[in-house]
């Protein structure tokens, strides 16, 4: 099992930057490094469906982004710290949402929530205009 805990959310003005963190822990991380997992970030705005934001494949070989965040957001991971990040720049009011991290012990990359096995509890990001 893997537990994921997000942090770093907050309230800020449009145009600002924020970095979300997602710390992984659990028994299987004693055997497999975090880089073994495919990782992703999703978000859900109030009254809307959850949507894909970004993903990073096993061994951080490749990164993938939703068109709405491409060029503004960056996903990364630190194997030693067992932490994944989402750097968010040039934030817009439409980026307001609860952000979730997710992980799966599979190769490739995944844009569907259901393709992941482990999920964080979410962290709120609010961007004012």
């Amino acid at each position: 099992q893997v537990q994921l805990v997000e942090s770093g959310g907050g309230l800020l003005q449009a145009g600002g930057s924020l970095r979300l963190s997602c710390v992984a822990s659990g028994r299987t991380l004693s055997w497999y490094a975090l880089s073994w997992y495919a990782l992703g970030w999703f978000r859900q705005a109030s009254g809307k469906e959850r949507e894909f934001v970004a993903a990073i494949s096993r061994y951080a070989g490749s990164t993938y982004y939703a068109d709405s965040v491409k060029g503004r957001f960056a996903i990364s991971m630190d194997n030693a710290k067992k932490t994944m990040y989402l750097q968010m720049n040039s934030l817009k009011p439409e980026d307001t949402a609860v952000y979730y991290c997710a992980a799966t012990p599979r190769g490739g990359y995944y844009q569907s929530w259901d393709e992941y096995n482990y999920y964080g509890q979410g962290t709120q990001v609010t961007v004012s205009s």
Side-chain angles (χ1 to χ4, degrees):
Q1 290 293 324
V2 174
Q3 290 78 47
L4 302 174
V5 179
E6 301 99 333
S7 63
L11 170 65
L12 71 166
Q13 291 187 331
S17 297
L18 205 60
R19 187 177 78 162
L20 304 183
S21 300
C22 175
V23 179
S25 62
R27 184 176 179 181
T28 56
L29 286 173
S30 299
W31 309 321
Y32 297 100
L34 183 61
S35 59
W36 176 257
Y37 295 81
L39 308 171
W41 286 95
F42 293 81
R43 67 185 182 186
Q44 186 168 21
S46 180
K48 296 186 177 180
E49 294 187 354
R50 187 182 297 114
E51 64 176 357
F52 167 77
V53 175
I56 190 166
S57 61
R58 178 181 281 177
Y59 301 128
S62 300
T63 56
Y64 307 89
Y65 299 93
D67 288 342
S68 59
V69 306
K70 201 171 295 182
R72 300 188 297 121
F73 290 13
I75 185 172
S76 63
M77 58 92 66
D78 185 324
N79 213 21
K81 295 182 178 179
K82 298 181 181 178
T83 302
M84 60 187 287
Y85 303 98
L86 184 67
Q87 178 67 44
M88 306 185 293
N89 300 323
S90 302
L91 282 160
K92 305 174 181 180
E94 51 263 45
D95 294 317
T96 295
V98 177
Y99 285 72
Y100 301 89
C101 59
T104 179
R106 298 158 63 189
Y109 77 99
Y110 306 95
Q111 299 183 60
S112 173
W113 176 262
D114 293 338
E115 292 183 291
Y116 290 84
N117 300 93
Y118 309 107
Y119 306 93
Q121 82 290 349
T123 185
Q124 176 71 47
V125 173
T126 303
V127 184
S128 63
S129 57

